[in-house]
Each structure stands twice: as structure tokens, then as C-alpha cells.
Amino acid sequence: MTDDILLAAHHVDVVYDTGDGRPTHAVRDVSLELRRGELLGIAGESGCGKSTLAFALARLLQPPARLAGGSVTLDGADLYDLGREGLRALRWNRLAMVFQSAMNALNPVTTVGRQFDDIFRAHRPGLTASQRRLRAGELLELVGIDRTRLRSHPHELSGGMRQRVAIAMALALDPDVVIMDEPTTALDVVVQREILDEIEQLRERLGFAVVFITHDLNLLLEISDRLAVMYAGRVIEYADTARIAAGGAVHPYTQGLLRSFPALTGARRDLTGIPGQPPDLRLPTPGCAFRDRCASAYALCETLRPELEPVGPTGGRAACHRAFQAPPAMEERGPGQSPVPSPLSRPTDS
Ligand code: ADP
């Protein structure tokens, strides 16, 4: 249902013009949709373009980055057409961001209370000083921090508390969308778990939608409704999380990522990782960008870039030639296994 779509990227391209004649094409033809109230996860290895995409979605790209193509819409309106006033009304009010390091969002030299106050004074001029203080206290308590901490400076708080404050600030004006870029990565596992639970509860209570960016795909299996896996600037798999969690990942890269991290809960398992390196984003990549690391690659993968296309009846999409051919060794494979055949079942490359 298109009415449900809150934030959407349409064929977004982002380039870093580094001035050396070799621009980095960090985000390539990315289209995705965030529905009202849902948590959309974006996963992929470091350097694949996740943060750049997050900044593009929030219209926060700074030079040398620029939107080189495509558009981003919020409730159908193009964010890149907004003027000064439109942007002011967008930031915090409708769309807020939480970064990996809360220190990016918090001012080290002013108290937490003062920082909430600044947001309210700028965006809710009708509130009195005592109303602003009351609301800031409520927000802190919403994320499990005592309101007396309004008097603290950021350095007087633990890393977990600072991240909670950053989340509370993002929620201050009741936005529709919060974009979270690795919000728990810098924290230890216990605090990470607490904050993830907190985000879940807040989402249930307040109904905002989240774009949650992380290198850890297994984490997204627990918290997201849908997920997009990025590789070398592109979305290579886009699916309901339930399908991926049930063993339905189609792209060999998604399968590799799932084997690369321990689950936050559940049994420990061997981490096999994915051998090799992603390609240099300053260079054009003919064919599939993952082919050199892919055990299932064959001749077509060298020459023709696979498009993100629907796989099966579930509405998921994948960019892999193997997903669209009948694999010869299919009948030998057990239930729940991927339809990507082993290298032994490759068609001849000649
Ligand atoms: P991720 O968030 O997945 O780790 P990024 O979006 O940070 O990936 O980076 C994507 C690509 O853009 C990388 O190749 C990175 O080197 C490049 N990049 C990021 N920031 C800059 C910058 N300020 N100038 C030039 N290149 C950049």
C-alpha cells in the first residue's frame, strides 16, 4: 500500500568528489521504502555506503559528498526540493538522526538540560521555560534516565547513558522517522541489549518508524521488520526479515554475512566470515561487484550486473544471477538451504 510509505529513496546515487579525479561512487542506484511505524534495517560491511545512504536519506550530505542522482521523498514530497524553512520544519520535527557516537549529537560543554532546551526554544517557541524543563525530564525518564541528569554534562554520563540521551533528543519533537546509524555499536553487549530493548518499547509506545543501520546482520534479524543488505554501494538483497530469519536468504553475500557474526542470543557458532575484500568504489565494476568473493560466480557474473529483482512469491528482491536460474543440484539440497548451488554445480564457464 503506497499510502503506508513514509520515507522513500528512488534510485539514489551519492558521489564523493575528492578532487583527485577519482570520485568515490559510494551509493549506487539505491531504491527503498520505509513504511509508517516499521523498522527497516540496512546491513553490510564497513565501507559499503550505509552511512552515506543514511545522510542522503536525511538530506544531511556535506561536501565532498553530493546527491548525484535520484531523489528522496517524505510522504511523497521531495526532500531535495525543500527550502530553508522546509528543512527547518523537517529536522527534529519529522525526521531525526542518532549516530554511533552520541558525542556527535551532544555538545560537550553544555548540560543535557540546556541541550533539550535549545531544541524546544528553536522548534516549540510557544512552550514556557517550565514546560520545556518538564518535557525534557519526561523524555529522559522515557529512556530510563533520572531527570536529575538534566544538570549533567555529557562527560559525566556513561557511554550507554549518552546514547540514551541522544535517542531522547531525537524523540523530543515526536518525529515520524528516526534514522539510527550504528547506535549501539560502540557499547558493550549488555548495554547494547538494553538499548535495543528500549528502542523497541519506545517504538511500540510512540509509533515512529526507524531506519536502523548496522554492520551486524544478525542483530537486524532480531529487531527489524524488513531489511536491505548493501554491498559496494548497492542494495543486493531486500526482504522481509522473517524470510531471511527462516533461512531464506538468496544472495550469497547475505548468506556469508549471516555466518560472519555471532547471534546476540542463542548458541555460539563458528564464524566463517567472507574471504576477500570489497571492490574499490572509485572504480567502475562491470558485472557483479561480489563475483570475486563468491563461490557460486560464473561467466555471466563477470560481464552483466545483476539487477535487484523479485525472488519468488514473498515480495523479496535479490541482485544475483543464480537466484533466477534453476540450479542443477537443487534436488540434492536439504530443506531451508539456499537455492544458490555450490561451485560444483556451476554451469560451464566456457
Ligand atoms: P559504511 O557506513 O558502510 O561504513 P560509508 O558510507 O561510511 O560506509 O562509506 C562509503 C564509501 O565512501 C567508502 O568507500 C568511504 O571510503 C567513502 N567515504 C566516506 N566518507 C568520505 C569522505 N568524506 N570523503 C571521501 N570518501 C568518503
Side-chain angles (χ1 to χ4, degrees):
M1 246 181 31
T2 45
D3 281 357
D4 244 16
I5 294 167
L6 192 55
L7 183 71
H10 311 272
H11 304 287
V12 166
D13 276 284
V14 181
V15 167
Y16 289 91
D17 285 313
T18 39
D20 58 0
R22 299 173 77 206
T24 300
H25 196 164
V27 173
R28 302 173 177 209
D29 195 20
V30 167
S31 295
L32 39 81
E33 289 159 351
L34 176 72
R35 298 182 193 136
R36 231 166 271 286
E38 82 168 343
L39 194 149
L40 172 68
I42 299 180
E45 283 164 294
S46 176
C48 72
K50 303 182 299 297
S51 294
T52 307
L53 176 63
F55 278 79
L57 289 175
R59 208 188 138 173
L60 281 171
L61 292 171
Q62 298 285 342
R66 68 180 167 91
L67 187 79
S71 63
V72 178
T73 53
L74 182 64
D75 269 336
D78 192 331
L79 289 192
Y80 286 78
D81 282 346
L82 293 177
R84 216 187 205 338
E85 266 315 299
L87 274 180
R88 226 177 90 82
L90 170 79
R91 298 270 153 72
W92 300 98
N93 281 300
R94 301 219 50 207
L95 185 152
M97 246 184 112
V98 177
F99 300 94
Q100 175 171 350
S101 165
M103 286 320 261
N104 287 344
L106 301 179
N107 183 339
V109 298
T110 34
T111 62
V112 168
R114 179 68 206 225
Q115 298 184 52
F116 277 105
D117 210 50
D118 286 346
I119 297 174
F120 291 132
R121 278 197 302 191
H123 294 275
R124 295 286 187 272
L127 294 180
T128 63
S130 63
Q131 284 171 327
R132 293 196 300 266
R133 213 168 22 251
L134 190 70
R135 181 76 187 120
E138 284 170 3
L139 282 159
L140 272 198
E141 285 178 358
L142 196 64
V143 296
I145 297 181
D146 194 278
R147 63 175 69 212
T148 55
R149 289 297 193 166
L150 287 174
R151 290 195 292 274
S152 300
H153 284 80
H155 66 84
E156 295 171 299
L157 307 175
S158 68
M161 282 168 106
R162 284 201 290 262
Q163 205 56 307
R164 284 167 190 268
V165 170
I167 292 169
M169 278 171 61
L171 299 178
L173 303 183
D174 200 14
D176 299 318
V177 182
V178 184
I179 299 178
M180 300 188 172
D181 187 1
E182 305 266 13
T184 59
T185 305
L187 307 170
D188 72 56
V189 177
V190 176
V191 180
Q192 183 176 1
R193 163 57 60 204
E194 285 170 8
I195 292 191
L196 291 172
D197 290 345
E198 198 81 53
I199 293 169
E200 268 312 286
Q201 288 167 20
L202 289 169
R203 222 160 56 86
E204 263 171 42
R205 229 166 117 180
L206 306 174
F208 56 90
V210 175
V211 178
F212 193 106
I213 290 172
T214 173
H215 60 286
D216 186 346
L217 180 53
N218 280 299
L219 190 157
L220 291 183
L221 293 189
E222 293 189 37
I223 63 167
S224 66
D225 299 305
R226 284 186 309 137
L227 53 86
V229 179
M230 286 184 76
Y231 187 77
R234 292 181 192 277
V235 173
I236 53 90
E237 186 147 16
Y238 189 35
D240 284 343
T241 305
R243 176 164 75 74
I244 304 291
V250 168
H251 201 289
Y253 179 64
T254 311
Q255 296 167 352
L257 268 191
L258 288 168
R259 291 192 299 268
S260 300
F261 292 97
L264 264 187
T265 53
R268 289 203 152 269
R269 54 192 149 163
D270 287 342
L271 305 183
T272 44
I274 307 170
Q277 295 294 322
D280 186 339
L281 292 178
R282 289 169 302 179
L283 304 173
T285 27
C288 173
F290 186 59
R291 63 174 191 263
D292 291 344
R293 303 171 76 185
C294 181
S296 306
Y298 66 115
L300 189 61
C301 311
E302 299 283 334
T303 53
L304 184 68
R305 183 165 45 72
E307 298 292 335
L308 191 63
E309 290 183 53
V311 231
T314 56
R317 291 168 166 263
C320 176
H321 293 309
R322 286 294 193 189
F324 303 103
Q325 64 172 65
M330 196 63 178
E331 59 284 359
E332 292 161 25
R333 301 173 70 78
Q337 278 187 279
S338 131
V340 177
S342 77
L344 293 177
S345 62
R346 266 180 204 214
T348 50
D349 287 347
S350 54

